[in-house]
Amino acid sequence: MIYFLYIAARDIRDITELIAVAVLIETPGVFIAVAFTLLALFVVSTGLGNIIRMSVPYLWIFLSLYGFVLLLILISEEYEWGQLLPIMGDGAGIVLQSALLETLEFPFGETIVFLAAAGAALTGMKAGKTAAAALAAGGFLLAFSSVIQLISLGESTKARTYFPMASAARNVSIGTFIERVEILFVFILLLAIVLKVSLFLYAALQGTKYILSNVSGMQMLVPFAIVACMQALLISPDAAVHFRQGIRIIPMILHIPMQIGIPAALFLALLLRRKVAHS
């Protein structure tokens, strides 16, 4: 429950920093965070069914706008394929290290939140197949996005940029007519994080409902939203510290124990319990 609230707070801070940098430069971050939290609160209050139904049209909006942004980047010719080379120039070890220490827990590890809703939405083999297909599709989109970022920005610029896809879209300029394409990317990410924060708040409510059986989950929605919003604003003094924590510190002390350690321990405990029961 606390873990889900913390991740929701980090996501609120992420979108607050992005909007403050790319769109509303003069607007205080507190107003952006509060407005976004109210939006996520409304989405959660409508129930899990509406969150799921909302994700269906969003998927097509996401694919359409994302594809349009990528097409504009390619049409503008603000890229260089040679920036992809050398492929694995430092060997496969650095790739495996990045996969295990970075990509495994974010974003793929955060799919643990779907366990809070899987029982109500999917069952049995259908859940496993759907999850596998979603992970494969997400991995492909992330890999393709990384390629676009590399050929547009280069490795060094991509590493220094907090939002590399927004920076790549900002470079688009077609005949001084089509510009500021990063606004579309911000809109795409806004929709994505609304769904993500809504799911994490819903998971926190489900955890509360499981622990406190006499308390309705929805009774805690407003307090949880307030806590997530305040934590998002107080989580770090500035964007640099926030993103450095998210990349270097939080995965080791929070993501890996919560996403891998505790589920693995529970799985082993379940196997042991079954073995004892059958013996």
Side-chain angles (χ1 to χ4, degrees), residues 8-275:
R10 293 201 66 86
D11 289 334
I12 294 172
R13 182 61 179 267
D14 286 343
I15 194 63
T16 299
E17 295 293 347
L18 176 60
I19 293 177
V21 169
V23 183
L24 304 177
I25 300 175
E26 301 295 332
T27 303
V30 61
F31 293 107
I32 300 173
V34 170
F36 184 84
T37 303
L38 289 174
L39 177 59
L41 189 152
F42 171 75
V43 172
V44 179
S45 67
T46 61
L48 178 62
N50 285 322
I51 295 176
I52 295 174
R53 283 189 289 271
M54 175 184 171
S55 65
V56 176
Y58 163 72
L59 175 63
W60 295 109
I61 294 173
F62 169 82
L63 292 176
S64 300
L65 292 180
Y66 199 75
F68 180 65
V69 171
L70 295 179
L71 180 63
L72 290 178
I73 291 175
L74 295 176
I75 291 176
S76 66
E77 298 184 354
E78 296 289 338
Y79 60 88
E80 183 180 344
W81 290 104
Q83 296 188 110
L84 290 174
L85 302 175
I87 298 176
M88 290 196 297
D90 296 325
I94 190 67
V95 177
L96 293 175
Q97 179 181 353
S98 176
L100 293 176
L101 298 181
E102 297 177 12
T103 312
L104 180 63
E105 65 273 0
F106 177 81
F108 295 105
E110 292 185 352
T111 55
I112 192 173
V113 69
F114 289 106
L115 294 178
L122 297 169
T123 57
M125 187 62 68
K126 187 177 181 181
K129 291 182 178 179
T130 302
L135 288 175
F140 173 78
L141 287 175
L142 287 173
F144 187 68
S145 176
S146 294
V147 170
I148 297 298
Q149 293 165 25
L150 283 172
I151 64 176
S152 301
L153 302 176
E155 181 182 0
S156 60
T157 304
K158 180 179 180 295
R160 295 193 307 267
T161 305
Y162 296 139
F163 303 101
M165 196 63 194
S167 298
R170 188 179 294 117
N171 293 335
V172 172
S173 178
I174 302 177
T176 67
F177 174 68
I178 299 179
E179 295 181 334
R180 297 301 305 272
V181 180
E182 71 272 13
I183 303 299
L184 287 177
F185 173 78
V186 173
F187 178 70
I188 295 170
L189 201 58
L190 176 64
L191 291 177
I193 296 186
V194 165
L195 286 175
K196 189 177 177 182
V197 171
S198 300
L199 284 171
F200 278 111
L201 286 177
Y202 176 82
L205 293 175
Q206 290 296 102
T208 304
K209 184 179 178 181
Y210 181 79
I211 297 173
L212 305 174
S213 57
N214 60 337
V215 176
S216 172
M218 287 302 171
Q219 292 177 351
M220 301 300 296
L221 176 56
V222 174
F224 278 3
I226 294 174
V227 169
C229 184
M230 292 181 62
Q231 191 175 20
L233 296 172
L234 301 174
I235 204 168
S236 55
D238 53 50
V241 175
H242 170 68
F243 289 109
R244 185 165 62 249
Q245 290 175 344
I247 294 173
R248 299 181 181 178
I249 301 174
I250 300 303
M252 299 302 298
I253 66 174
L254 192 60
H255 286 334
I256 291 179
M258 296 297 297
Q259 297 172 4
I260 300 176
I262 294 178
L266 292 175
F267 179 70
L268 292 175
L270 180 61
L271 290 180
L272 182 61
R273 180 180 177 183
R274 288 185 177 181
K275 185 176 181 180

